[in-house]
């Protein structure tokens, strides 16, 4: 369960993402550190042969629902990918909310938010486009 940094060329294209760690079935060390300090959520990036996997996760107590917006920029403009739903907490580990694979050369921003049942923002990770 180690940390895998994205190559410098890929990292430059992903400047809007805060950090990149390898996605494992169990929470990574970064997730565990945040899980111990209260509600947390995050976005992990993993390079694969198929492209760049963007994984949204949260602590089991980080809210009742979530949404993630990925804004991809192309030569002709930009478009958004929206995903969201309920947080189905099982156990005490990080909850994987979504995995989406993007082309390795994609220029994008990603933002993840978790919300309480009353609609209160509990966690935000990433940046707006």
């Amino acid at each position: 369960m180690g940390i895998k940094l994205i190559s410098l060329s890929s990292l430059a294209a992903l400047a809007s993402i805060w950090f990149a760690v390898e996605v494992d079935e169990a929470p990574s060390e970064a997730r565990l550190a945040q899980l111990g300090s209260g509600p947390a959520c995050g976005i992990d990036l993993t390079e694969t042969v198929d492209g760049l996997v963007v994984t949204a996760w949260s602590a089991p107590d980080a809210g009742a629902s979530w949404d993630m917006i990925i804004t991809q920029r192309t030569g002709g403009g930009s478009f958004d990918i929206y995903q969201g739903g309920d947080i189905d907490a099982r156990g005490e580990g990080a909850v994987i909310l979504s995995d989406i694979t993007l082309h390795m050369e994609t220029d994008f921003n990603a933002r993840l938010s978790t919300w309480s049942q009353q609609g209160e923002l509990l966690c935000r990770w990433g940046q707006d486009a």
Side-chain angles (χ1 to χ4, degrees):
M1 185 173 11
I3 294 178
K4 176 185 175 188
L5 295 178
I6 303 293
S7 69
L8 291 178
S9 62
S10 295
L11 191 56
L14 305 172
S16 66
I17 299 297
W18 296 82
F19 74 98
V21 297
E22 186 173 299
V23 177
D24 295 346
E25 288 299 315
S28 71
E29 293 168 8
R31 292 184 202 152
L32 288 173
Q34 289 186 358
L35 290 177
S37 64
C41 63
I43 297 173
D44 293 348
L45 305 174
T46 305
E47 287 184 35
T48 69
V49 295
D50 295 324
L52 184 68
V53 178
V54 179
T55 302
W57 61 270
S58 79
D61 61 348
S65 63
W66 66 279
D67 65 38
M68 180 171 65
I69 300 171
I70 297 175
T71 300
Q72 289 187 334
R73 287 175 292 281
T74 64
S78 65
F79 62 94
D80 292 337
I81 300 170
Y82 173 84
Q83 295 183 326
D86 295 333
I87 296 175
D88 185 18
R90 293 185 187 137
E92 296 180 18
V95 177
I96 302 298
L97 303 171
S98 173
D99 283 326
I100 186 168
T101 302
L102 303 175
H103 184 270
M104 195 63 81
E105 302 302 319
T106 300
D107 181 21
F108 72 97
N109 289 356
R111 187 193 74 220
L112 171 67
S113 303
T114 63
W115 309 91
S116 71
Q117 287 185 331
Q118 295 76 28
E120 175 187 2
L121 177 66
L122 297 176
C123 181
R124 172 148 297 152
W125 187 264
Q127 296 179 352
D128 292 326

